Structures are given as structure tokens and as C-alpha cells.
Amino acid sequence: MSASDTVTPVLTIDGPGGAGKGTISGLLAERLGWHLLDSGALYRLTAYAAGKHDVVLDDEAGLAHVAANLDVAFPVADGAVQTLLEGEDVSRAIRTEQAGERASKVAALPAVRDALLKRQRDFEQSPGLVADGRDMGTVVFPGAGLKVFLTASAEERARRRHAQLQQAGVDANLSSLLKEIQARDARDTQRSVAPLKPADDAITLDTTRLSIPEVVEQLTEWLSLRGMASGA
Ligand code: C5P
């Protein structure tokens, strides 16, 4: 095989909110020394930037313009990735349930998804990429070497979100979190463009009863079996 035949290994991790994609993707990217694409952050940032620039959530062309011109940076400070939008630290602001809700509304608009496509594909760089989202395996990286669809019951996902928020010192109500998760699942799976669903060639892993290290081990084993992570 010549150098020009070398392809960048890509692992896609799709699934509903709260299934553990973010945590697992971050741990695997760190372990493998690969790049990380948190595609949900781009939708969250688009919705946040729209608010900042008074673009309403049903102005598809306006939102696509915001998405195409996002001025973002992800510097690492004290071991944690920061999210800067136009120089402002929005790391916490884009993680609220309300920001997720607004993100899922802008994410249902085809022009917004189109505007973010190239930016996402640009993350495919040596030595490898872990891509976290809803349509990584189906739309953005259809040729990925390993596609995983992570799920967990809605109740377990609500419990995890609740624990995360409590840890961050944010007050949250478990039953309203469950309702929000179910509403977001419905919107993500029923939209006409890039709906949340496993790629035909994805492996589905239900994490309801699995710990984070167990999931990381399972994915590492699958990567090794495909010859994608010899050093992992
Ligand atoms: O993963 P996260 O919760 O940050 O994503 C926020 C929202 O962005 C999701 O509910 C979904 O509607 C949207 N999204 C998407 N496609 C992706 C990633 C996120 O539609 N690849």
C-alpha cells in the first residue's frame, strides 16, 4: 500500500442525547490521540449565536448564514476544552437543557445542516477522528471504518443528565428532564432530514446497564478487531 492509499481512521458514535456519547468519545479520542468532533456543539453554537444576533428560530436562511459564519474556537485550558464564540466563553451557556432544545430546533432545518457539513468533514485529519453526533455514520462520514450507535433507556438517560447537572451545581427536576429527553428524541428521530437512526452498517450498543469503562473497552476491542487502533 502506498502512502496515498492511507485513509484516516474514523470512528462515528451516534445516538440519542444522554446515551454517553460525549463522555465515551472524549475518553476514546484521548486514549487514541485522535481528533474529536462534538457535532452537537456546532448546533448548540448556531442556536446560541442566532440568539445573540436576533435571528429567530424559524428564519432558515438567516440561521444557515449564522451557521456558515460561526466564529468558534476550542482552546484547551487546564486540561478542559473551552468553547469560545466570537471570543466569548460559552462553554457552560451552550450546555443547558434550553440550549439543547433550541439546538434541536435549528438542527431540523436542511439549510443549517448543509451549512455545517463541510466544517464537520474538515475534522477528518490524521492520525484519526472520533465523531460524536446523530448523523455521523449516516450522512457526514458514511465511509467511517467503525460506526457505533449508543443507546440507553430514556429513564436511564434522564438519570444520567440529572446526576451530571447536579454535579455541575445546576438545579434540575428528574421528571421534567425525562419529558425533555422524550421530546428531543421525538424531534430528532422524526425530522425529515438526517433523522437520528443507526447507519445500516452500525453496531448498536445499549449502555443502560454498562459502566463508562465497560463501554470504552468494548469500543476499543471493536476498533482493534478492525485493525483501526493497534496502539490503543
Ligand atoms: O449532542 P447534543 O445534545 O449536544 O446535540 C444537541 C442537538 O443537536 C440534538 O438534540 C440534535 O437535535 C442536534 N444534533 C444533530 N446532529 C448532530 C448532532 C446534534 O441534529 N450530528
Side-chain angles (χ1 to χ4, degrees):
M1 195 163 94
S2 74
S4 58
D5 293 329
T6 312
V7 285
T8 305
V10 177
L11 162 64
T12 58
I13 304 185
D14 288 306
K21 301 183 309 288
T23 307
I24 303 297
S25 302
L27 288 170
L28 274 168
E30 197 179 342
R31 180 190 278 205
L32 296 159
W34 288 6
H35 299 279
L36 174 66
L37 166 60
D38 171 3
S39 59
L42 296 176
Y43 291 98
R44 287 172 183 265
L45 282 160
T46 300
Y48 189 91
K52 204 169 157 169
H53 296 290
D54 297 323
V55 176
V56 290
L57 293 193
D58 55 4
D59 174 3
E60 185 165 357
L63 290 166
H65 181 78
V66 169
N69 293 288
L70 275 183
D71 169 10
V72 292
F74 302 98
V76 179
D78 298 329
V81 182
Q82 261 189 330
T83 305
L84 301 184
L85 176 72
E86 296 158 20
E88 175 194 347
D89 184 357
V90 295
S91 315
R92 283 172 72 92
I94 61 161
R95 294 293 155 197
T96 64
E97 288 305 305
Q98 198 210 7
E101 177 78 12
R102 287 170 56 82
S104 97
K105 287 182 181 155
V106 306
L109 303 172
V112 170
R113 304 200 72 87
D114 258 9
L116 291 176
L117 194 57
K118 183 181 177 302
R119 194 186 280 261
Q120 294 176 82
R121 289 191 173 145
D122 286 346
F123 277 76
E124 183 175 342
Q125 281 177 31
S126 179
L129 174 66
V130 180
D132 157 2
R134 303 291 189 287
D135 62 340
M136 298 295 97
T138 50
V139 176
V140 183
F141 302 107
L146 178 63
K147 301 178 184 178
V148 176
F149 193 80
L150 281 192
T151 63
S153 69
E155 290 73 18
E156 173 63 16
R157 289 185 282 126
R159 256 195 306 276
R160 290 177 188 173
R161 263 287 142 82
H162 190 244
Q164 254 176 5
L165 289 171
Q166 277 195 321
Q167 217 174 20
V170 180
D171 240 1
N173 174 287
L174 188 58
S175 65
S176 49
L177 277 179
L178 178 59
K179 282 200 198 103
E180 279 161 19
I181 280 185
Q182 285 166 332
R184 191 124 70 92
D185 282 358
R187 192 175 307 118
D188 289 352
T189 51
Q190 287 159 21
R191 69 182 175 217
S192 57
V193 54
L196 170 65
K197 63 165 187 197
D200 289 340
D201 50 351
I203 309 177
T204 296
L205 183 62
D206 185 336
T207 70
T208 306
R209 291 186 171 69
L210 297 178
S211 67
I212 291 167
E214 284 171 329
V215 178
V216 170
E217 281 321 308
Q218 178 62 82
L219 267 57
T220 305
E221 190 185 319
W222 287 337
L223 284 167
S224 301
L225 282 172
R226 298 207 176 180
M228 292 171 66
S230 45

